[in-house]
Amino acid sequence: MIRPIVRYGDPVLHRAASDVEAVTADIRTLIDDMIETMYAASGIGLAAPQIGVGLRIFVTDVSAGRNPHDLVVMVNPELASHDGLQREEEGCLSMPGFEAVVPRPERAVVRGLDREGRPCEAAGVGLAARAFQHELDHLDGSLFPDRLRGIRRDLIVRRIRKLRRTGKW
């Protein structure tokens, strides 16, 4: 089932998500809904808080559905290691129409549980590493503008506040 994506400003996006106690049938259904929602929105990643669920789950697929082996499902993920540096444009399904250059490590390894509750690990380079870190930020209650400084961050936040005041957000 495709679920609505909440937007910047919704409280669930700005607080840390809770650990998943057990991977149950309901959690697997949530994961399936997240995957379907991500693909329907033409995204390459989605965290549970983005659909209003404050649990530590994310899905990513840098191929946007073209390569089934690129789909990563992580329950209770943690960043195991990272190195290097990349500076690329980044957007967010919870902030449509906004992008900014965000520095991130070039390589990242995440560990957690798969959709069956088994321990798993995923390594990513470039866009995959960026997607992992972006989704981990969501699980920690942070969005990409929180990684920006000064006027770049202020401009985005002010534009969103204006859109909200005029009822366009």
Side-chain angles (χ1 to χ4, degrees), residues 19-80:
D19 282 341
V20 173
E21 302 273 326
V23 179
T24 62
D26 287 342
I27 294 297
R28 285 188 289 277
T29 298
L30 172 62
I31 290 167
D32 291 340
D33 290 352
M34 290 173 62
I35 293 166
E36 189 175 349
T37 301
M38 174 182 67
Y39 289 146
S42 299
I44 62 164
L46 187 73
Q50 290 182 275
I51 57 169
V53 178
L55 292 174
R56 292 191 67 81
I57 303 170
F58 78 66
V59 297
T60 64
D61 182 351
V62 295
S63 78
R66 291 184 299 276
N67 182 353
H69 299 292
D70 285 343
L71 178 62
V72 174
V73 173
M74 281 283 163
V75 178
N76 296 337
E78 294 181 0
L79 186 61

Side-chain angles (χ1 to χ4, degrees), residues 83-158:
D83 62 51
L85 179 66
Q86 60 173 308
R87 285 186 169 85
E88 299 293 333
E89 284 265 315
E90 195 167 308
C92 180
L93 294 175
S94 292
M95 298 180 65
F98 292 90
E99 293 182 347
V101 174
V102 180
R104 301 261 188 200
E106 176 66 21
R107 287 172 291 290
V109 176
V110 290
R111 287 190 188 120
L113 303 174
D114 67 12
R115 65 177 291 116
E116 302 305 322
R118 296 179 301 238
C120 66
E121 182 175 285
V125 176
L127 184 58
R130 176 173 295 281
F132 293 165
Q133 294 166 88
H134 180 103
E135 301 313 328
L136 282 167
D137 278 357
H138 277 300
L139 300 181
D140 293 334
S142 180
L143 285 86
F144 79 82
D146 298 325
R147 292 206 170 261
L148 304 175
R149 298 287 173 252
I151 192 141
R152 292 185 305 155
R153 181 185 190 289
D154 292 345
L155 285 172
I156 290 172
V157 172
R158 276 192 240 146

